[in-house]
């Protein structure tokens, strides 16, 4: 506990008149007031630690008498540690959720405090993030406030396009056009091969097609997802993109792949610009790059992208609930989001926040429209079976991409397993 503050100096002692047997009484004395320490749990990576340190300094300056004490855990085991802490009665007031899976699991089981009253009371302060609030409700209750929002975008190597004499990817590219462009940008062989595309091996890279169409993996009809899986497979089968078997064999990663200068395009999250800026400072980035909207189905307007927010919550067993609410509300406020924008992709769309985010970069490669001017569709649906569904689409999608079953069969098997395994 930090030093006591606000102690009353010199209580006044009033003594009664008369004999020594007269009782003495004390008036005007107040108990020493201590700082309230909000215990906050997070994972420990360098960027996050710097961000939270700056957030805590600003918050404490605005809220005398409240301090923030950090409990840090290894990023790789954070989810397990958080679950153990909350279910085992560990002392924590507020915390960060690392994924929507754990948010649904822990919030729906009563480990997080409902925040609807906070959102209503602080509606003006939360204006920049209010668009995300409805999508975070579980059974019509809000349990988390967003502080980071990640969408999807298309990144490209300008130098490779210039050398090939091909125009840069446009901002209204369909997935079908993306595949053809990737083939066009593929050349050479062996160590000299230039690939047109790289995507992480995540199932989101193919089921995005159905999500952009407004479909749901929980619908009876899953045919909207077939085309996305077909196109993802076509990229690998044509040689325009390494297969998932090759990626697994080499432990390939989108960041290291792009930095080799041998990949014309990469589809990944909007956290990528921050990585590339750091790579530029570290002299690892040796070419010019650009970004634009993620591709979309032909019948969907440009700028439609999956998004997933990262949230903070208050423990239902918090010792200092009101102070913990103030802390996470500050992070999601415009002032807090300006600080977040120095380190990560903020959840707020306030102009001052976007300006701060843009100021992080040393060139004009970052396309703010592709990050903030978007039509959002959910990457993951907050409902029962969220974790099982991720496993099902990953496993069945990989079987199709490896050629062991057809995309049509994979989608049928996803529905079958979903109905059997998610009750």
């Amino acid at each position: 506990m930090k030093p006591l503050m606000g102690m009353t100096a010199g209580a006044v002692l009033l003594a009664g008149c008369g004999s020594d047997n007269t009782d003495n009484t004390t008036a005007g004395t107040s108990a020493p007031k201590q700082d309230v320490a909000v215990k906050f749990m997070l994972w420990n990576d360098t960027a996050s630690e710097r961000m939270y340190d700056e957030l805590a300094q600003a918050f404490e300056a605005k809220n005398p008498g409240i301090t923030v004490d950090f409990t840090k855990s290894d990023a790789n085991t954070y989810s397990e540690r958080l679950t153990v802490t909350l279910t085992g009665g560990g002392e924590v007031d507020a915390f960060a959720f690392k994924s929507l899976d754990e948010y649904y699991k822990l919030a729906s089981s009563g480990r997080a405090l409902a925040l609807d009253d906070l959102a209503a009371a602080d509606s003006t302060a939360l204006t920049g993030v209010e668009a995300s609030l409805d999508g975070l409700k579980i059974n019509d209750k809000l349990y988390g406030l967003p502080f980071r929002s990640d969408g999807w975008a298309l990144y490209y190597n300008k130098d490779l396009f210039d050398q090939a004499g091909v125009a840069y990817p446009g901002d209204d590219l369909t997935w079908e056009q993306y595949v053809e462009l990737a083939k066009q940008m593929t050349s050479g062989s062996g160590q000299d091969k230039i690939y047109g595309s790289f995507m992480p091996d995540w199932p989101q890279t193919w089921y995005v097609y159905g999500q952009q169409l407004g479909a749901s993996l929980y619908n009876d009809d899953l045919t909207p997802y077939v085309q996305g899986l077909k196109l993802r497979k076509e990229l690998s089968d044509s040689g325009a993109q390494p297969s998932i078997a090759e990626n697994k064999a080499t432990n390939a990663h989108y960041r290291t792949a792009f930095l080799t200068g041998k990949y014309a395009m990469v589809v990944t999250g909007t956290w990528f610009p921050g990585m590339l800026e750091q790579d530029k400072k570290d002299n690892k980035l040796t070419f010019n790059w650009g970004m634009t909207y993620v591709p979309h189905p032909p019948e969907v307007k440009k700028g439609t992208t999956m998004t997933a927010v990262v949230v903070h919550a208050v423990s239902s067993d918090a010792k200092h609930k009101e102070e913990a609410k103030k802390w996470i509300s500050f992070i999601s406020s415009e002032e807090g989001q300006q600080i977040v924008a120095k380190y990560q992709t903020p959840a707020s769309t306030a102009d001052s926040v976007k300006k701060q985010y843009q100021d992080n970069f040393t060139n004009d490669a970052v396309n703010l429209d592709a990050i903030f001017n978007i039509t959002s569709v959910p990457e993951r649906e907050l409902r029962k079976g969220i974790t099982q569904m991720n496993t099902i689409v990953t496993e069945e999608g990989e079987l199709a991409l490896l050629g062991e079953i057809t995309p049509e069969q994979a989608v049928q098997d996803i529905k079958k397993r979903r109905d059997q395994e998610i009750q």
Side-chain angles (χ1 to χ4, degrees), residues 70-388:
F70 296 122
T71 298
K72 301 174 184 178
S73 180
D74 179 78
N76 294 322
T77 58
Y78 177 79
S79 296
E80 295 83 355
R81 177 78 180 278
L82 176 63
T83 299
V84 170
T85 299
L86 294 180
T87 58
E91 191 173 348
V92 61
D93 294 305
F95 49 88
F97 279 115
K98 202 167 189 289
S99 72
L100 288 177
D101 288 35
E102 66 190 31
Y103 171 61
Y104 180 85
K105 178 179 67 176
L106 292 171
S108 61
S109 63
R111 302 299 175 184
L113 197 68
L115 301 173
D116 301 88
D117 59 338
L118 172 63
D122 287 0
S123 58
T124 301
L126 298 175
T127 298
V129 301
E130 64 182 357
S132 301
L133 299 183
D134 282 344
L136 289 172
K137 289 186 176 181
I138 301 172
N139 298 324
D140 293 326
K141 287 287 187 180
L142 178 69
Y143 295 95
L145 295 184
F147 76 95
R148 195 179 89 200
S149 180
D150 294 316
W152 287 74
L154 168 59
Y155 304 86
Y156 54 92
N157 183 322
K158 287 184 174 182
D159 293 359
L160 288 180
F161 276 90
D162 291 342
Q163 291 165 17
V166 177
Y168 301 147
D171 66 358
D172 198 10
L173 205 65
T174 68
W175 282 112
E176 289 77 5
Q177 291 170 334
Y178 175 85
V179 171
E180 293 307 312
L181 183 58
K183 293 177 183 178
Q184 184 181 358
M185 289 300 299
T186 300
S187 63
S189 62
Q191 295 297 318
D192 297 324
K193 181 166 184 175
I194 301 297
Y195 287 95
S197 172
F198 187 96
M199 293 181 185
D201 291 338
W202 309 330
Q204 291 95 321
T205 58
W206 61 262
Y207 76 61
V208 57
Y209 201 99
Q211 295 298 106
Q212 288 173 310
L213 286 169
S216 167
L217 287 164
Y218 295 85
N219 286 350
D220 288 336
D221 180 12
L222 298 186
T223 53
Y225 294 96
V226 173
Q227 178 67 356
L229 193 48
K230 283 183 174 180
L231 292 171
R232 178 73 166 76
K233 189 173 187 298
E234 186 178 345
L235 282 168
S236 299
D237 289 351
S238 68
Q241 177 171 284
S243 68
I244 64 169
E246 291 174 292
N247 285 347
K248 290 181 184 299
T250 60
N251 198 28
H253 188 274
Y254 59 88
R255 183 180 188 179
T256 52
F258 196 53
L259 291 177
T260 65
K262 295 180 180 294
Y263 293 84
M265 298 182 290
V266 170
V267 173
T268 191
T270 52
W271 58 80
F272 199 31
M275 291 181 174
L276 294 176
E277 180 64 20
Q278 186 60 52
D279 290 330
K280 182 178 180 181
K281 293 176 181 176
D282 295 338
N283 297 315
K284 295 178 181 178
L285 182 63
T286 59
F287 55 85
N288 296 305
W289 63 279
M291 68 177 288
T292 187
Y293 288 117
V294 72
H296 57 86
E299 55 268 60
V300 174
K301 69 178 182 179
K302 71 177 183 180
T304 302
T305 182
M306 296 187 302
T307 58
V309 297
V310 186
V311 303
H312 292 136
V314 175
S315 171
S316 55
D317 294 325
K319 184 178 179 181
H320 305 295
K321 289 183 173 65
E322 295 307 313
E323 291 82 1
K325 287 181 181 179
K326 281 187 177 181
W327 161 237
I328 68 169
S329 180
F330 171 77
I331 299 173
S332 295
S333 71
E334 186 168 344
E335 182 179 351
Q337 286 289 287
Q338 288 177 29
I339 296 173
V340 171
K342 296 179 183 179
Y343 303 92
Q344 299 179 3
T345 311
S348 174
T349 57
D351 289 341
S352 64
V353 176
K354 290 189 283 187
K355 173 68 166 56
Q356 177 61 65
Y357 182 80
Q358 186 176 34
D359 288 346
N360 294 335
F361 300 94
T362 54
N363 58 36
D364 60 356
V366 179
N367 185 332
L368 291 185
D369 281 341
I371 298 174
F372 298 106
N373 186 22
I374 59 174
T375 299
S376 177
V377 296
E379 180 179 311
R380 310 286 296 282
E381 294 181 61
L382 287 174
R383 56 189 294 174
K384 186 178 181 180
I386 182 173
T387 302
Q388 295 98 310

Side-chain angles (χ1 to χ4, degrees), residues 4-13 26-34:
L4 302 180
M5 298 181 64
M7 293 184 65
T8 303
V12 179
L13 181 65
T26 302
T29 302
S30 60
K33 185 178 180 180
Q34 296 180 329

